[in-house]
Amino acid sequence: MRFVDEFRDAEKARALSAKITSLCEPGRQYKFMEVCGGHTHTIYKHGLEDYLPENIQLVHGPGCPVCVIPMGRVDDAIHIARRPDVLMTSFGDMMRVPGSGGNFFDSNAEGTNIRMVYSPLDSLKIARQNPDTQVVFMAIGFETTTPSTAMTVLRAAEEGLENFSVFCNHVTIIPAIKAILDSPDLRLDGFLGPGHVSTVIGCRPYEFIPRDYSRPVVVAGFEPLDILQSIYQLMVQLREGRCEVENQYSRVVPWDGNIVALRAIAQVMELRPYFEWRGLGFISHSAMRVKDSYADFDAERRFAVPGVRVADPKACQCGEVLKGVLKPWECKVFGTACTPETPIGTCMVSPEGACAAYYNFGRFSRQRVREASHSS
Amino acid sequence: MSAPTDREQQVLDRIDKARRRRAKVREERVTLAHGSGGKATQTLVEAIFLDAFRNPLLEPLEDAATFTAGETRLALTTDSFVVSPLFFPGGDIGDLAVNGTVNDLAVSGARPLYLTAGFILEEGFGIEDLVRIVHSMRDAAERAGVDVVTGDTKVVQRGKADGCYVNTAGVGVLEHSHALGVATAKPGDAVLVSGPIGEHGVTIMLARGELDIDADLESDTAPLNGLVADLLGAVDGVRAMRDATRGGVATILNEVAKAADVAVVVDENAIPVRDEVRGASELLGIDPMYVACEGRMVVVVDGAQADAALAALRAHPLGEGAAKIGRIVDDPPGLVLLNTAFGGTRIVDLLVGDPLPRIC
């Protein structure tokens, strides 16, 4: 298949892997964070870690947009959806993210009408078809999906739709990266920058990372060879003593981002003073809300939202796991209060999260899996 | 990799203990995940249905129960069909309902004989549509060589059902001596599929019209009894067959790994997937391994007879695209491992519910 297979060539992967290995300094451990959940998925899906030497470790970052939504916001969404006149729409993978009393599927079993859509524009279609129903779009995601929500609000305003609003949970990536960088016990050697987010915001926003924190960043694409190539670029920078932002995903990511998309966001949304992230706590200026001028399309203003904060249990140490300070099993609630069936933190919510993966398969070392899969 | 420390081992032991605990339904109400064929379905079936009905015939949770009546060995199965839309490229709820039950009998090693048909119809449902569905059932039954010999009809108020639901049950006769069952898989066995995977599931997703994706795809719905008869006639080393419906091939392979306490190793490059299915799956962020088929089966066969089995499958029109996709090894027990096309390895787990399109 074109545009896919050429980025999954095992032979090229072996060549890159050898080059990466040759750049490793003996005795040194390398930890790179892939910021984006999409990267984590690629790494997992293709078994990419098999191409990395033992002393390079990938740390899964905070960039899974559904996993970072805290329980309180899920509860608020369900509260809105419980109104008899409301039909809520949501992206598919949000459906399974737990609130304090269950997820959207559980809520539907109790009578709410939360439907899966593939684009916020589908919600507009539903709103037009059901003029007597309040259609609320559960807006989530980083800068990747924010523009489409903004465009949808603009479209709704243009059409004068009165039964459409968004429950805005859009988050921004830079403050989350900064929160991790500010951690006193940071043990990361570099970052794979989020490719999709960067198609919108460009590469400039990462320039503070090499400048102020002396860590290299390579904005990476989502095919497995993209990720290997980006790791190689990070290793070259470390070897050459350079520390800068590089753009591996230049076939898609413009250095200055997408001006039209950024303008749409700026027209409709503004930064919240602070927002809670599951497992990471409150981070200032880390999320968007609908501007006053579009208040009619803001579900938080249209409907009363309790906004009760559901505290992460004190012992949840997601932040430490995300920062690569703790291994999943070292967290105090791992495997007891926090399991894949009853997840507390981000790392347990997504099946690819570090904790969920360890819970399910930690008993098998990678080596044992690799040996078994190559045995005859 | 170094051995786990004492504390890590304690944590791993605790998880292992939790894993072995009896399945328990935590939810207070049924959710859609309970119908997906993944982990949630398994928990519901084991904790509620198996717990209440427990008996030696039900316990293996095979596609059909097999038992002896007088001198005759029989297989019995049932299946309900709630597909939406009712009509889709390549088929409709009618032929699906016949083929589904025929296939559950066939993969149990039985020759399907008779079917029952139960209809739950919603007030207002078009008679023309009903006739279309019933005629397609008649044609599918004829193709499979079975008769629909008894049935039932119920009509519910408008809004209490979605147009038309169909239930079929079937009885078949076992005429050979193969001891079939996923628990009999052994290290050294080969794993085959009878054709390209995921076509039915992707066709249905596209037919719902929510995706604005067009593809030249049809459901693979078909009766497998002829194919199974040819296979069992050609080789005596077949250990198990399963039709890869809900949950797809990945779910079947997990069932094999767990029931037989073996590992299943699969080569991604060897899995037949049509480009249309691959493309749609890539766009949606789902894995064809978990997507339903309605006319494909997974076969576990003695490794020494893999080539003969493959030849027998390929000689039949429904098995032309058959392929050997993997093998059974002894360690690590209970796991399905995938050698990815990219050259890595990963574990293929059961999904909790339906595969959900990803935003990230």
Side-chain angles (χ1 to χ4, degrees):
Chain A
M1 198 163 27
R2 278 184 68 207
F3 306 118
V4 172
D5 291 333
E6 55 266 52
F7 297 103
R8 298 182 184 176
D9 184 325
E11 212 163 295
K12 290 200 174 78
R14 275 191 287 276
L16 263 174
S17 167
K19 280 159 77 176
I20 290 169
T21 305
S22 73
L23 286 169
C24 288
E25 285 169 34
R28 180 169 172 189
Q29 296 291 320
Y30 300 85
K31 267 188 189 175
F32 300 128
M33 173 175 280
E34 87 273 5
V35 172
C36 180
H39 286 151
T40 310
H41 181 67
T42 299
I43 290 161
Y44 159 84
K45 180 177 164 195
H46 298 279
L48 185 137
E49 280 168 303
D50 285 358
Y51 282 107
L52 297 179
E54 291 277 324
N55 47 345
I56 296 185
Q57 196 194 335
L58 294 175
V59 179
H60 311 320
C64 166
V66 299
C67 313
V68 299
I69 301 295
M71 292 204 204
R73 296 296 285 187
V74 178
D75 290 357
D76 284 348
I78 290 173
H79 181 86
I80 296 173
R82 278 205 186 118
R83 292 177 55 107
D85 58 335
V86 164
L87 184 161
M88 185 168 274
T89 56
S90 162
F91 288 131
D93 42 2
M94 186 68 219
M95 298 292 289
R96 261 203 286 272
V97 177
S100 66
N103 60 29
F104 286 177
F105 282 124
D106 300 320
S107 163
N108 277 349
E110 287 175 8
T112 60
N113 189 0
I114 308 179
R115 278 197 219 166
M116 250 185 268
V117 289
Y118 300 91
S119 146
L121 287 170
D122 294 341
S123 320
L124 275 194
K125 218 186 290 172
I126 296 173
R128 279 184 221 115
Q129 288 160 354
N130 301 277
D132 299 329
T133 302
Q134 286 291 333
V135 176
V136 181
F137 175 59
M138 172 78 183
I140 54 152
F142 287 90
E143 288 90 336
T144 324
T145 52
T146 317
S148 61
T149 302
M151 294 302 289
T152 306
V153 169
L154 290 172
R155 179 84 60 87
E158 231 173 76
E159 292 180 21
L161 273 181
E162 287 176 2
N163 63 329
F164 174 80
S165 57
V166 298
F167 182 47
C168 187
N169 294 282
H170 284 295
V171 283
T172 57
I173 195 76
I174 297 294
I177 298 179
K178 204 161 174 302
I180 285 166
L181 282 165
D182 282 333
S183 157
D185 37 21
L186 177 77
R187 295 172 200 176
L188 296 172
D189 298 280
F191 289 88
L192 298 175
H196 288 150
V197 166
S198 307
T199 58
V200 175
I201 67 172
C203 299
R204 288 194 197 285
Y206 309 113
E207 285 170 348
F208 77 99
I209 301 174
R211 189 185 60 227
D212 303 340
Y213 295 90
S214 310
R215 299 292 196 284
V217 179
V218 175
V219 173
F222 291 86
E223 290 300 329
L225 278 183
D226 287 323
I227 292 176
L228 274 185
Q229 164 98 38
S230 303
I231 292 168
Y232 169 70
Q233 286 179 238
L234 283 172
M235 292 297 290
V236 171
Q237 285 203 40
L238 291 178
R239 169 56 75 94
E240 293 176 355
R242 282 188 296 123
C243 182
E244 49 201 68
V245 179
E246 289 180 326
N247 183 8
Q248 184 275 336
Y249 203 25
S250 58
R251 67 181 186 277
V252 176
V253 173
W255 192 263
D256 290 312
N258 181 336
I259 308 296
V260 179
L262 289 170
R263 209 177 287 148
I265 298 176
Q267 193 177 339
V268 177
M269 296 180 206
E270 62 193 0
L271 281 173
R272 292 173 191 267
Y274 54 84
F275 192 74
E276 189 194 359
W277 293 53
R278 190 186 289 252
L280 289 176
F282 286 92
I283 304 178
S284 59
H285 298 110
S286 64
M288 310 300 288
R289 70 176 172 207
V290 178
K291 273 185 171 171
D292 289 345
S293 40
Y294 291 89
D296 288 349
F297 300 95
D298 184 359
E300 278 176 85
R301 280 181 262 199
R302 183 172 293 203
F303 310 102
V305 173
V308 176
R309 183 176 178 259
V310 183
D312 286 330
K314 268 275 173 291
C316 172
Q317 294 173 299
C318 244
E320 315 309 305
V321 175
L322 278 178
K323 281 178 268 186
V325 176
L326 283 189
K327 297 226 168 62
W329 61 268
E330 291 173 313
C331 168
K332 291 198 187 74
V333 288
F334 177 83
T336 51
C338 186
T339 68
E341 282 75 35
T342 55
I344 294 172
T346 54
C347 314
M348 196 63 100
V349 171
S350 152
E352 291 143 21
C355 290
Y358 186 87
Y359 186 96
N360 286 324
F361 304 117
R363 64 196 189 281
F364 306 109
S365 69
R366 275 211 76 74
Q367 198 184 341
R368 189 167 162 206
V369 167
R370 216 172 313 171
E371 277 167 13
S373 63
H374 293 114
S375 64
S376 50
Chain B
M1 193 174 275
S2 55
T5 62
D6 285 354
R7 228 197 100 208
E8 184 176 9
Q9 194 56 53
Q10 276 172 18
V11 175
L12 289 172
D13 291 345
R14 195 168 65 220
I15 293 172
D16 218 37
K17 226 168 111 191
R19 204 190 305 277
R20 281 198 304 267
R21 245 176 254 147
R22 272 176 69 178
K24 195 175 157 222
V25 176
R26 293 168 178 282
E27 296 84 355
E28 283 175 22
R29 290 167 194 275
V30 173
T31 73
L32 286 175
H34 288 122
S36 68
K39 278 182 192 166
T41 307
Q42 276 190 1
T43 307
L44 188 80
V45 168
E46 285 172 26
I48 296 186
F49 300 126
L50 183 58
D51 191 56
F53 300 135
R54 191 174 298 276
N55 63 63
L57 290 185
L58 178 64
E59 203 127 37
L61 294 177
E62 288 285 352
D63 285 325
T66 54
F67 52 92
T68 305
E71 298 289 296
T72 317
R73 285 168 68 222
L74 294 173
L76 179 66
T77 190
T78 184
D79 209 336
S80 297
F81 298 82
V82 297
V83 65
S84 167
L86 296 171
F87 303 95
F88 44 82
D92 59 45
I93 191 170
D95 46 28
L96 211 58
V98 169
N99 291 336
T101 289
V102 164
N103 291 348
D104 280 347
L105 292 172
V107 297
S108 305
R111 181 166 63 85
L113 295 175
Y114 301 111
L115 259 50
T116 72
F119 294 88
I120 295 171
L121 305 170
E122 184 188 9
E123 178 188 22
F125 187 64
I127 291 290
E128 207 177 309
D129 283 343
L130 182 61
V131 169
R132 207 174 141 195
I133 290 166
V134 171
H135 283 186
S136 125
M137 287 179 79
R138 179 195 61 197
D139 297 346
E142 200 178 301
R143 183 178 176 198
V146 296
D147 286 315
V148 176
V149 292
T150 180
D152 177 54
T153 312
K154 296 282 185 293
V155 179
V156 298
Q157 268 177 8
R158 191 184 292 273
K160 303 279 182 193
D162 186 12
C164 171
Y165 301 144
V166 183
N167 171 275
T168 51
V171 64
V173 58
L174 287 135
E175 295 165 321
H176 58 79
S177 54
H178 293 80
L180 297 171
V182 284
T184 64
K186 292 179 188 59
D189 288 352
V191 180
L192 320 177
V193 291
S194 65
I197 65 171
E199 283 160 33
H200 175 76
V202 170
T203 301
I204 295 296
M205 274 184 240
L206 301 188
R208 288 188 183 140
E210 294 161 357
L211 300 175
D212 288 329
I213 302 175
D214 285 322
D216 194 11
L217 263 183
E218 286 195 345
S219 166
D220 46 33
T221 177
L224 292 171
N225 49 336
L227 184 66
V228 168
D230 286 5
L231 175 67
L232 293 181
V235 295
D236 61 8
V238 175
R239 312 260 195 240
M241 296 173 284
R242 281 271 170 110
D243 58 334
T245 54
R246 260 184 335 184
V249 170
T251 302
I252 305 291
L253 298 178
N254 270 283
E255 287 167 4
V256 172
K258 287 194 179 69
D261 209 26
V262 293
V264 181
V265 179
V266 182
D267 294 311
E268 192 172 37
N269 273 332
I271 304 171
V273 187
R274 279 197 214 289
D275 275 352
E276 292 85 349
V277 171
R278 246 189 102 193
S281 301
E282 287 285 339
L283 284 175
L284 296 172
I286 57 177
D287 184 341
M289 291 268 285
Y290 294 98
V291 177
C293 318
E294 290 291 342
R296 305 285 183 228
M297 60 176 179
V298 173
V299 180
V300 181
V301 58
D302 180 345
Q305 297 183 19
D307 291 339
L310 206 52
L313 289 174
R314 285 179 178 162
H316 190 282
L318 286 173
E320 278 170 0
K324 175 176 182 254
I325 62 165
R327 59 197 183 277
I328 309 287
V329 298
D330 58 352
D331 184 78
L335 277 199
V336 179
L337 307 174
L338 183 76
N339 286 314
T340 70
F342 184 61
T345 49
R346 75 167 150 101
I347 294 168
V348 179
D349 197 10
L350 279 180
L351 294 187
V352 174
D354 284 305
L356 296 177
R358 306 167 53 87
I359 81 145
C360 62

